[in-house]
Amino acid sequence: MNGIVAYGVYLPYFRLERKAIGESLGASAGAGTRSVASYDEDSTSMAVEASRAAMRAAPDIRPGALYFATATPAYLDKTNATAIHAALALDAQAPAFDMLGSVRSGAGALWAAIDAGRPTLAALADIRTGLPGGGDEREGGDGAVAFLLGDSRAALERWRLPGDTVSRQWEERFGEHAYVPLGEAAVTDALKQAGLSAAAVSRWIVTGPHARASRRVAASVGAAKGAVADDLAASIGNTGTAHAGLMLADALDRAKPDELIAVVSLADGCDVTIFRTTAAIAARRPAPPVAAQLASGGRLAYATFLTWRGFLPREPPRRPDPERPAAAPSFRAESWKFAFTGSRCQACGTRHAPPQRVCVKCHAVDRMAPERLADIPATIATFTVDRLAYSLSPPVVAAVIDFEGGGRFQCELTDVDPAAVKIGDRVEMTFRRLFTAGGVHNYFWKARPLRGR
């Protein structure tokens, strides 16, 4: 049976204040903020970022398999996990599978990774969308978490049909009635199977899309059985498939060796998993920690949020639509397009991005070695702010960046304030969706300010 050897979290940069929703719609929307994925992000790109953080925390371990769980996949009739596999440059022999359709998929991916019998990466991500002014919009949040692992009952409480933008749900009291007894019974049974007393658990993590039921189960287990973790609702909202794992990552950031952490996931049933930390935990914590990502983030206007989610159509650009990416060239350039692998000349040491056959410095031919650049920081050499180019987040900031150790590349900056960009700023690469054309998502890499790492 596998255990968690490393983990990583990705929270989008943008935050939407709930009071901004209320002010725009003339209704009460509560306090705090929710996390918002940018227009160029989806569950696939966020899973890549969380997985990169997990793999940086354990560079000596190569995942032998990948499970990707989400209730908001970028594709339905196509495996999303293969794009994550390519972006992480995993071994070709490592299989990649989707586990889609519900928040409970996150628990399923984690359980499958525990039972895999080999180092396995479980990536969980969601983009939570609700109708403007609704509870899902207010209480939801976007985020991703990944775990590197190595050496129910059915209730129609929430549903979404293929093609629908948002989920629907029954009145809150029904979910509370269905989930609270189920959660309490599952906790009792899990402790019995593990041979543990409730008092032995150092921290309880209780979460699910139904907030009232989760709070009641948390109160029942936390009253005399140990500390209950903050559900993070006030700062980012509920991130759906990723949320139980995100709360677990936050607990692991703070945990000491030999602590017991219980995760109770209330989603289309109840799953309880109990973890014991080891002495290796201090060496496996990723950077930046969850708390640092919670504290960062830029404010977002509600109108921009509605635009990104497709509820507020804007005037399209008066120019030809982009052509959809073609399969053949994307396949041929997979190591560059997805894994961001450049080349270094073996004759003179010059680095090239994108990879080349002929060295631009010494002109040696076919003497290149592949070199992955996705995790190498860079510095802005020059930039321009383009107010004419079409973007869902105008204006577009294009920059020329210089990588540590050599190599220059021109790309778009994201998650950035155009007025604050300066030559010399430090940036890192991030996997994003450039555009969607003809039903095909064009994934590639942009640069963002280097924060907290």
Side-chain angles (χ1 to χ4, degrees), residues 25-280:
L25 301 180
S28 175
T33 61
R34 62 156 290 169
S35 57
V36 178
S38 181
Y39 72 99
D40 56 358
E41 296 184 290
D42 57 21
S43 54
T44 296
S45 68
M46 292 195 303
V48 169
E49 296 304 309
S51 299
R52 291 172 66 199
M55 293 177 66
R56 283 196 298 265
D60 55 322
I61 299 176
R62 293 288 295 174
L66 165 66
Y67 295 111
F68 172 50
T70 181
T72 53
Y75 291 111
L76 281 178
D77 192 14
K78 180 189 181 304
T79 304
N80 300 271
T82 53
I84 302 170
H85 184 290
L88 300 175
L90 299 184
D91 297 336
Q93 295 77 16
F97 302 105
D98 283 354
M99 303 182 78
L100 308 178
S102 71
V103 171
R104 196 179 188 184
S105 302
L110 196 55
W111 279 40
I114 289 173
D115 292 335
R118 56 181 166 180
T120 301
L121 189 65
L124 291 55
D126 255 357
I127 291 181
R128 308 300 292 176
T129 298
L131 288 171
D136 277 353
E137 178 192 68
R138 178 178 65 251
E139 297 171 5
D142 307 333
V145 63
F147 295 97
L148 183 57
L149 294 101
D151 276 345
S152 87
R153 282 164 56 178
L156 184 58
E157 184 266 329
R158 169 186 294 270
W159 70 99
R160 176 166 57 89
L161 298 177
D164 287 352
T165 303
V166 299
S167 297
R168 290 173 281 179
Q169 56 186 326
W170 290 116
E171 197 270 336
E172 281 194 337
R173 287 175 297 178
F174 172 74
E176 194 172 3
H177 175 77
Y179 279 126
V180 172
L182 182 63
E184 293 173 343
V187 167
T188 300
D189 188 54
L191 291 171
K192 181 179 179 181
Q193 290 189 41
L196 297 170
S197 67
V201 178
S202 303
R203 185 168 296 271
W204 290 87
I205 293 168
V206 185
T207 185
H210 196 286
R212 283 174 52 170
S214 297
R215 286 194 294 268
R216 279 195 55 188
V217 173
S220 69
V221 301
K225 302 176 183 178
V228 176
D230 176 13
D231 65 2
L232 309 179
S235 54
I236 59 169
N238 188 293
T239 58
T241 304
H243 205 70
L246 194 154
M247 291 176 64
L248 174 59
D250 186 41
L252 292 173
D253 281 344
R254 310 162 191 271
K256 298 177 181 178
D258 203 35
E259 286 189 0
L260 290 172
I261 301 174
V263 181
V264 183
S265 177
L266 295 164
D268 289 330
C270 183
D271 301 279
V272 181
T273 312
I274 301 175
F275 297 91
R276 184 188 297 275
T277 60
T278 71

Side-chain angles (χ1 to χ4, degrees), residues 320-359:
D321 291 336
E323 295 185 6
R324 69 180 180 183
S330 295
F331 178 77
R332 289 194 298 268
E334 178 182 323
S335 63
W336 166 247
K337 178 175 174 56
F338 289 96
F340 205 63
T341 301
S343 61
R344 188 181 286 276
C345 178
Q346 298 300 285
C348 69
T350 300
R351 183 189 277 162
H352 302 77
Q356 304 292 327
R357 289 185 58 196
V358 180
C359 178

Side-chain angles (χ1 to χ4, degrees), residues 375-381 401-404 407 424-429 447-448 450:
D375 295 318
I376 297 178
T379 302
I380 296 176
I401 61 175
D402 289 331
F403 289 99
E404 288 184 359
D425 283 352
R426 301 274 287 161
V427 296
E428 61 183 346
M429 303 309 294
R448 68 180 175 197
L450 186 63

